[in-house]
Amino acid sequence: QKEVEQDPGPLSVPEGAIVSLNCTYSNSAFQYFMWYRQYSRKGPELLMYTYSSGNKEDGRFTAQVDKSSKYISLFIRDSQPSDSATYLCAMRVSGGYNKLIFGAGTRLAVHP
Amino acid sequence: DGGITQSPKYLFRKEGQNVTLSCEQNLNHDAMYWYRQDPGQGLRLIYYSQIVNDFQKGDIAEGYSVSREKKESFPLTVTSAQKNPTAFYLCASSIGINSNQPQHFGDGTRLSIL
């Protein structure tokens, strides 16, 4: 079983839809959670970085962490065609060296 | 402005050839990392370095080598011992190896076999 599971999609939604992207994990020691956005042929770009359980909002993006269920989500409101990309979740334990464990990524397509 | 520069964007390797991928950062970060990305898989750590002249193997180091002679630079050599080198290679950096600050990525090098 992988430490981090992420539905690969692809996910196709109409412009303006609310998008929910999810990851589950098995290691209860994970304390830091990240969402990266990756456009085709580009490197991952950090979108959200959270530590505690609960919600963190940044513009149209909301990151949600539920440590008791070992489940994290990224919500995109009012989705735009420019949101079409692959979204990667990543997480790490506290302490030690900065080793990230990545999900496989979910491809999202937002069509006009 | 600050960032991570990877070159070249595309690289082709012949059988038995070693190739070197460049990674330069001007973020004044101490820690640097190399990842490999294959379709349908998450990023996998090849090597990391926390300071100049120090580096450690990641999860898939076989067939790869690195050096860290300058803080700004962390080149990756894909040797002929790496039998399946076709992948997208990503370099990242962070403030420190033990820091809780996130990693930032370059735009990658796509390596293919001729």
Side-chain angles (χ1 to χ4, degrees), chain A residues 2 32 34 36 38 41-46 49 86 88 92-105, chain B residues 9-10 33 35 37 40-43 45 48 59 88 90 94 96-107 110:
Chain A
K2 292 182 180 178
Y32 297 90
M34 285 136 275
Y36 286 87
Q38 186 177 22
R41 291 183 289 275
K42 292 287 192 179
E45 169 196 9
L46 182 68
Y49 182 51
T86 295
L88 301 163
R92 57 160 293 198
V93 301
S94 179
Y97 79 91
N98 194 351
K99 180 177 179 178
L100 296 183
I101 306 299
F102 285 85
Chain B
K9 288 187 74 67
Y10 301 95
Y33 314 80
Y35 292 89
Q37 187 175 32
Q41 297 193 40
L43 278 65
L45 183 64
Y48 66 97
D59 298 322
F88 191 45
L90 289 159
S94 66
I97 202 76
N98 295 318
S99 154
N100 294 326
Q101 295 303 307
Q103 294 178 23
H104 299 273
F105 287 83
D107 276 340
R110 186 165 299 279

Side-chain angles (χ1 to χ4, degrees), chain B residues 28-40:
Chain B
N28 200 32
H29 284 173
D30 285 318
M32 297 186 74
Y33 314 80
W34 274 105
Y35 292 89
R36 170 181 172 137
Q37 187 175 32
D38 295 280

Side-chain angles (χ1 to χ4, degrees), chain A residues 67-112:
Chain A
K67 290 184 180 178
S68 61
S69 301
K70 299 192 188 69
Y71 188 90
I72 67 170
S73 299
L74 178 70
F75 298 97
I76 307 174
R77 289 184 300 281
D78 187 24
S79 56
Q80 303 295 310
S82 58
D83 295 327
S84 298
T86 295
Y87 290 80
L88 301 163
C89 65
M91 47 199 79
R92 57 160 293 198
V93 301
S94 179
Y97 79 91
N98 194 351
K99 180 177 179 178
L100 296 183
I101 306 299
F102 285 85
T106 300
R107 282 179 55 199
L108 171 67
V110 181
H111 52 86

Side-chain angles (χ1 to χ4, degrees), chain A residues 25-77:
Chain A
Y25 61 94
S26 57
N27 187 349
S28 58
F30 286 140
Q31 296 291 326
Y32 297 90
F33 304 92
M34 285 136 275
W35 285 97
Y36 286 87
R37 177 176 63 195
Q38 186 177 22
Y39 291 115
S40 181
R41 291 183 289 275
K42 292 287 192 179
E45 169 196 9
L46 182 68
L47 273 180
M48 301 289 279
Y49 182 51
T50 59
Y51 170 72
S52 57
S53 284
N55 293 353
K56 180 178 180 180
E57 192 172 315
D58 184 1
R60 295 185 296 111
F61 299 91
T62 299
Q64 186 176 81
V65 174
D66 183 347
K67 290 184 180 178
S68 61
S69 301
K70 299 192 188 69
Y71 188 90
I72 67 170
S73 299
L74 178 70
F75 298 97
I76 307 174
R77 289 184 300 281

